[in-house]
Each structure stands twice: as structure tokens, then as C-alpha cells.
Amino acid sequence: MSLVYRVNAPITREQFEGILYASGLAERRPMHDAGRLQRMLDHANLTLTAWDGERLVGVARALTDWSFCCYLSDLAVDKEYQRRGIGRELIERMQALIGEDVMLLLVSAPAAMDYYPHIGMEKMERAWYIPRRS
């Protein structure tokens, strides 16, 4: 397997939908709303993608101010490609891009709670949020 990683490479909404389904994240995303999925792509200011030839096999989608924090909104790896270090590589590359002075944070899908400590992330106990209405 020879993967290529790309920074801010354009991906289509259909490709984004495909990787969300292939990774198992679709149940936690607004898959019924194509316009919202497109806006999620349009307004992310940092994306990293992993490609096996022309096939999108991983994506990390984030919002950052490049100085204090970076919110990793999506980390999705095709189930056929999981357990090969792709998620870890996407996070390491993102950290390299944002720099060591920028905090990387995310909200985990319930099924991934055991994954993040495994790759060196620390659990935060002091986080708060206002839930989406839809």
C-alpha cells in the first residue's frame, strides 16, 4: 500500500459522504442534508486527506486560528484501511502543520473513545458545549 497524503486537496461532497459512510461516522453526521455537508467542507480551513491511488481512504477536517487552538472536527478512515496507522499519521501531520504552540482538540465519537489515548491524546474533563438543534 502506497498512500499519498495531501493538505487542503479539494474533495467533493460525494467523496466526503463516502468516507463518512466507509469509516462508520455517518450515523453521527447530518448525512440527510447535502447542503450542510458541503458547507462543512467549504468552511473548514485545514483538511488533510489520505489517498490510495484515486481512492480517498482518510480525512481529517479542522478549523483553526493557527495560534491557540485547532478543532479537529472529523477524523475518518475507511474501515478497510483502519489499524494501519492512517489516523495517527493524519493527526501527526496536522500537529506538524499547526505547530507545537497550538492545542489540538476534538469531540470523539463514542466508538472511538479508546482510540485517542492509544495515540497519545489526553482526555479533557473541563469541556462544555451547547448542542445542535438538528
Side-chain angles (χ1 to χ4, degrees):
M1 175 178 67
S2 178
L3 295 180
V4 174
Y5 292 88
R6 297 181 181 139
V7 177
N8 291 331
I11 63 173
T12 66
R13 179 188 48 80
E14 292 82 8
Q15 287 172 311
F16 186 49
E17 283 180 13
I19 195 66
L20 292 175
Y21 279 115
S23 70
L25 282 182
E27 68 184 49
R28 315 242 356 120
R29 299 297 183 268
M31 305 305 287
H32 64 282
D33 189 341
R36 191 170 184 183
L37 288 172
Q38 185 63 55
R39 289 189 305 276
M40 289 166 64
L41 285 174
D42 292 345
H43 297 290
N45 64 351
L46 179 58
T47 57
L48 293 161
T49 49
W51 301 83
D52 184 2
E54 296 298 314
R55 182 177 178 182
L56 177 64
V57 299
V59 65
R61 187 181 67 84
L63 303 155
T64 185
D65 61 14
W66 299 101
S67 60
F68 184 72
C69 64
C70 177
Y71 171 56
L72 179 55
S73 185
D74 292 304
L75 179 65
V77 176
D78 187 316
K79 286 182 182 180
E80 290 182 33
Y81 289 78
Q82 290 178 3
R83 300 196 176 280
R84 299 183 191 185
I86 297 168
R88 178 189 301 260
E89 184 70 20
L90 288 166
I91 288 175
E92 287 176 1
R93 287 174 183 250
M94 184 160 290
Q95 285 181 296
L97 287 166
I98 62 176
E100 64 185 31
D101 292 334
V102 180
M103 171 181 40
L104 182 63
L105 58 113
L106 63 85
V107 176
S108 177
M113 288 296 290
D114 293 333
Y115 173 72
Y116 296 106
H118 170 74
I119 63 167
M121 294 187 85
E122 297 178 30
K123 186 177 180 183
M124 273 182 80
E125 300 293 336
R126 299 167 294 144
W128 303 92
Y129 78 106
I130 298 172
R132 292 181 296 276
R133 292 184 189 201
S134 63

